[in-house]
């Protein structure tokens, strides 16, 4: 495959031979639809008329006054479904339709990607089955109900730790057995090539819009763009538009959880080491034997032991700055935004907000800061209240 699908040494296709033909077919189909006017027009129409794009870039008056620089939020919380995930599931479901697939499978941890896949499957009339660790099925009952309401079938996975990584293994097994009928819809910029590229391209709409919007409002590029990092799709989605602008700081914020010991965090870029997980070479959280470590975050969507190879590459070059934010800081940022701006952020996005509060003083009064608000926080209200409402 030459350098295709490599980001420096990261990326690649570390999969059993049986998965190579479908990966090659997927890449060919994706290259074809990327040049197909009817596909592009259809996707743009769904994005506009169904999903609600473009999402606004909101200037935050109160936050700006308090933090001492000009703060903008890119409002992916206003996308249909309440998060950026639909950008990807809509694109891939349409791709599956163009490939003539009769069935979509996905894996989900917190359930958000499963719900976004179920939405896209219902819209395009393709049956959806979602693998989910049985422990997650128990913890995320509301999202299981949502998937059922949307007509998707949830398949509980009993193996391993009964969480996300076990669901991914099960989905890969299913795909290998049913490649001709089935599209495997991966939810972040992870997995074997060409997935990291496909998901990045479908999420890049966030950055294209944000760049044009900030230029229109400020007449210049921002000084810094901040996004939270789980697998890395909302971060790469907004960063991609500013990659070639050396004056724009790109800051990826990971879940610092409760501490730096194994099992206390999900800070893969900051604390991980090189290894292969789910078909790609990247950074991951593993022990000395290469076994995947337990992870933790108050934000279920950040609770993943790997990260996209493209982000690992940019971080290794220093193009992307990385930081961690602890559970308590994220909870405080959750309340901060809710009370200052009347916007309840997802706990995932609250990590970006918490770090933006630290970066703002470095930028000065005329500094321009863009935060990617990857999702809304209604889903997290119970968790936050149970922890005392977040400390201001
Ligand atoms: C899933 C999710 C994330 C983490 O996924 P990325 O691929 O890192 O973007 C972040 N924010 C929200 C709201 C999510 O639902």
């Amino acid at each position: 495959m030459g350098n295709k699908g490599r980001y420096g040494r990261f990326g690649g296709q570390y999969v059993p031979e049986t998965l190579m033909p479908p990966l090659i077919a997927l890449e060919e189909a994706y290259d074809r639809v990327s040049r197909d006017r009817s596909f592009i027009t259809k996707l743009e129409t769904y994005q506009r008329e169904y999903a609600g794009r473009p999402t606004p870039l909101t200037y935050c008056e109160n936050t700006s006054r308090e933090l001492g620089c000009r703060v903008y939020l890119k409002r992916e919380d206003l996308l249909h479904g309440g998060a950026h995930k639909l950008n990807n599931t809509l694109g891939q479901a349409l791709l599956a339709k163009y490939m003539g697939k009769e069935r979509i499978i996905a894996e989900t941890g917190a359930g958000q990607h499963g719900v976004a896949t179920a939405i896209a499957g219902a819209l395009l009339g393709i049956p959806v089955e979602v693998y989910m660790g049985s422990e997650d099925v128990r913890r995320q009952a509301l999202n299981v109900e949502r998937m059922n309401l949307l007509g998707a079938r949830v398949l509980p996975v009993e193996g391993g730790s009964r969480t996300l990584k076990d669901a991914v293994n099960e989905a890969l097994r299913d795909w290998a057995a049913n490649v001709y009928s089935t599209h495997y819809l991966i939810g972040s910029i992870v997995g074997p090539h060409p997935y990291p590229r496909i998901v990045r391209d479908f999420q890049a709409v966030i950055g294209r819009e944000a760049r044009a919007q900030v230029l229109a409002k400020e007449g210049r590029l921002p000084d810094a763009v901040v996004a939270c990092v789980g697998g890395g799709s909302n971060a790469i989605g907004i960063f991609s538009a500013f990659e070639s602008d050396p004056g724009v700081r790109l800051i990826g914020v990971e879940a610092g959880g409760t501490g730096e010991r194994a099992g206390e965090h999900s800070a893969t870029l900051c604390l991980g080491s090189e290894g292969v997980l789910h078909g790609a070479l990247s950074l991951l959280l593993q022990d000395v034997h290469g076994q995947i470590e337990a992870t933790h975050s108050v934000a279920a969507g950040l609770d993943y032991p790997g990260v996209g190879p493209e982000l690992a590459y940019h971080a290794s070059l220093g193009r992307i700055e990385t930081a961690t934010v602890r559970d308590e800081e994220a909870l405080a940022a959750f309340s901060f935004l809710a009370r200052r701006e009347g916007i309840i952020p997802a706990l995932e996005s609250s990590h970006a907000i918490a770090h933006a509060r630290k970066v703002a003083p470095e930028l000065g009064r005329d500094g321009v800061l863009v935060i990617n608000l990857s999702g809304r926080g209604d889903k997290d209200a119970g968790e936050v209240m149970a922890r005392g409402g977040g400390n201001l």
Side-chain angles (χ1 to χ4, degrees), residues 83-85 112 188 228-234 301-302 346 348 374-375:
H84 68 292
K85 288 195 164 71
Q112 300 295 105
S188 191
C228 66
V229 175
S233 70
N234 86 88
L302 302 184
E348 291 82 4
S374 55

Side-chain angles (χ1 to χ4, degrees), residues 273-301:
S273 56
E274 276 179 36
V276 171
L277 179 65
H278 301 142
L281 175 69
S282 189
L283 295 171
L284 47 114
L285 298 171
Q286 57 188 335
D287 67 16
V288 290
H289 307 294
Q291 292 298 306
I292 300 304
E293 281 171 344
T295 51
H296 163 79
S297 172
V298 68

Side-chain angles (χ1 to χ4, degrees), residues 226-274:
V226 184
C228 66
V229 175
S233 70
N234 86 88
I236 209 81
I238 194 162
F239 290 169
S240 58
F242 304 96
E243 256 166 34
S244 313
D245 302 307
V248 182
R249 290 171 65 185
L250 304 176
I251 309 174
V253 186
E254 297 192 303
T258 56
E260 293 203 346
R261 283 187 307 231
E264 293 180 338
H265 61 86
S266 315
T268 316
L269 290 170
C270 292
L271 299 170
S273 56
E274 276 179 36

Side-chain angles (χ1 to χ4, degrees), residues 177-337:
N178 300 291
V179 283
Y180 291 106
S181 64
T182 301
H183 176 66
Y184 177 20
L185 205 161
I186 290 187
S188 191
I189 54 164
V190 300
H193 174 72
Y195 281 104
R197 188 180 115 221
I198 292 175
V199 179
R200 192 268 312 265
D201 289 355
F202 286 139
Q203 292 292 359
V205 65
I206 305 173
R208 278 198 302 276
E209 287 176 7
R211 194 175 201 281
Q213 288 166 321
V214 75
L215 282 172
K217 287 169 198 280
E218 290 286 337
R220 69 171 181 95
L221 291 172
D223 297 289
V225 179
V226 184
C228 66
V229 175
S233 70
N234 86 88
I236 209 81
I238 194 162
F239 290 169
S240 58
F242 304 96
E243 256 166 34
S244 313
D245 302 307
V248 182
R249 290 171 65 185
L250 304 176
I251 309 174
V253 186
E254 297 192 303
T258 56
E260 293 203 346
R261 283 187 307 231
E264 293 180 338
H265 61 86
S266 315
T268 316
L269 290 170
C270 292
L271 299 170
S273 56
E274 276 179 36
V276 171
L277 179 65
H278 301 142
L281 175 69
S282 189
L283 295 171
L284 47 114
L285 298 171
Q286 57 188 335
D287 67 16
V288 290
H289 307 294
Q291 292 298 306
I292 300 304
E293 281 171 344
T295 51
H296 163 79
S297 172
V298 68
L302 302 184
D303 202 346
Y304 178 66
V307 68
E310 187 176 1
L311 269 191
Y313 172 64
H314 287 311
S316 75
L317 295 179
R319 177 61 191 100
I320 287 174
E321 298 170 44
T322 57
T324 61
V325 155
R326 296 220 176 174
D327 288 352
E328 290 306 319
E329 298 172 299
L331 286 161
F334 181 99
S335 306
F336 175 91
L337 199 73

Side-chain angles (χ1 to χ4, degrees), residues 41 48 74 78 123 161 182 191 215 252 260 275 277 290 293 390:
T41 305
R48 192 176 59 243
K74 180 58 175 162
L78 295 179
L123 176 69
S161 55
T182 301
L215 282 172
E260 293 203 346
L277 179 65
E293 281 171 344

